[in-house]
Amino acid sequence: MSKPQILISNDDGIHAPGILALIEAALEFGEVTVVAPDSAQSGMGHAISIAKPLRIYKEALPHALTGYAINGTPADCVKLATGVIMEQTPDLILSGVNHGANSSVSAIYSGTMSAAREGSLQGIPSVGFSLLNYSHEADMSTAIAAARAVIGTCLEQGLAPGACLNVNIPDLPLAELKGYHITRHAMGRWIEEFAEREDPYGRKYYWLTGSFSSDDIVKGTDVWALENGYVSVAPMTRDMTDYPNLEAFQDWKF
């Protein structure tokens, strides 16, 4: 049987340590194609480029791979990969490993998860991986082991067409990892502030800062899993309908 075709992307850029770690984890499972942004695209959400031309540049990667760098967003990368670069539809799309967690509402803003969601929208099983360490020099050994476990399970169990998983990995030595939890996204929000600064010409500019806040860090959520030493595996859906309130809206008169 032919090996699975695996597409890998990210939002930290094609040469980021996290994507190199994910490549290492994925190579034992199938044929790997790497299509990723040519520069960091964190926080881009599901943005796509419609007002500029997209260009493809070949890049040498470890393991004798040739990657494709795109001057666009993570979602652009997946679109170009499936629409232009790859000769056949990938069996699985992987995104990451992101430098920093994408739990709770961060999954909405995440460029890493947008690449996975784009695959999901195309009906391709997709998984996004994030490590709870924002440093460029983060130790990726636990992330590699966790990615291998998740990829292997996905291929063995079989993901439904368009299934999407948001995998967040605690920043722990592998020996201290407690296991894996299927979770839901914790309800929360970013309390944002804009630091006002001044450039050398006396013009004001603003730098976004903030902190995460949640009253929903209970067992079964992704944030709880991370705080307690577990890898969080949260299924996501393409259908954003608010089903609990759908019936209440039926009484609205327009």
Side-chain angles (χ1 to χ4, degrees), residues 16-251:
I19 199 170
L20 301 182
L22 189 53
I23 291 168
E24 184 175 335
L27 276 171
E28 67 180 75
F29 297 100
E31 300 291 338
V32 170
T33 301
V34 181
V35 185
D38 62 1
S39 60
Q41 298 287 317
S42 296
M44 292 298 292
H46 210 105
I48 56 175
S49 300
I50 59 174
K52 71 173 186 179
L54 293 174
R55 305 186 189 279
I56 301 171
Y57 305 92
K58 290 185 177 181
E59 294 281 344
L61 296 173
H63 306 285
L65 289 176
T66 297
Y68 301 88
I70 309 298
N71 64 325
T73 68
D76 289 332
C77 292
V78 174
K79 287 179 179 292
L80 273 175
T82 58
V84 177
I85 295 170
M86 300 184 72
E87 295 182 356
Q88 64 186 81
T89 301
D91 299 296
L92 182 65
I93 293 178
L94 308 176
S95 182
V97 175
N98 189 67
H99 293 255
N102 279 313
S103 53
S104 185
V105 294
S106 294
I108 297 172
Y109 303 109
S110 167
T112 297
M113 289 312 301
S114 77
R117 283 196 304 271
E118 179 59 38
S120 173
L121 291 173
Q122 295 186 29
I124 304 167
S126 302
V127 186
F129 294 91
S130 303
L131 175 67
L132 187 52
N133 186 320
Y134 293 88
S135 171
H136 190 78
E137 288 75 35
D139 182 352
M140 288 285 168
S141 55
T142 297
I144 292 172
R148 282 182 177 138
V150 171
I151 296 167
T153 302
C154 288
L155 293 173
E156 181 181 337
Q157 298 289 333
L159 282 177
C164 183
L165 300 179
N166 181 14
V167 178
N168 282 277
I169 304 161
D171 185 30
L172 294 171
L174 184 57
E176 297 180 20
L177 195 65
K178 292 183 179 178
Y180 298 76
H181 264 289
I182 302 297
T183 64
R184 65 174 176 84
H185 291 96
M187 295 296 293
R189 60 184 287 260
W190 283 95
I191 300 174
E192 297 170 340
E193 298 178 359
F194 287 91
E196 184 179 290
R197 301 178 184 177
E198 195 172 274
D199 69 17
Y201 300 97
R203 298 173 299 195
K204 291 180 181 179
Y205 67 95
Y206 297 86
W207 199 268
L208 177 63
T209 64
S211 59
F212 177 72
S213 177
S214 175
D215 295 323
D216 188 35
I217 305 176
V218 298
K219 189 173 183 179
T221 64
D222 50 2
V223 178
W224 180 93
L226 286 171
E227 290 187 354
N228 287 274
Y230 294 93
V231 175
S232 163
V233 182
M236 297 180 69
T237 177
R238 294 170 286 177
D239 184 351
M240 294 183 286
T241 306
D242 181 8
Y243 286 104
N245 291 309
L246 187 59
E247 186 174 346
F249 283 108
Q250 302 305 317
D251 296 330

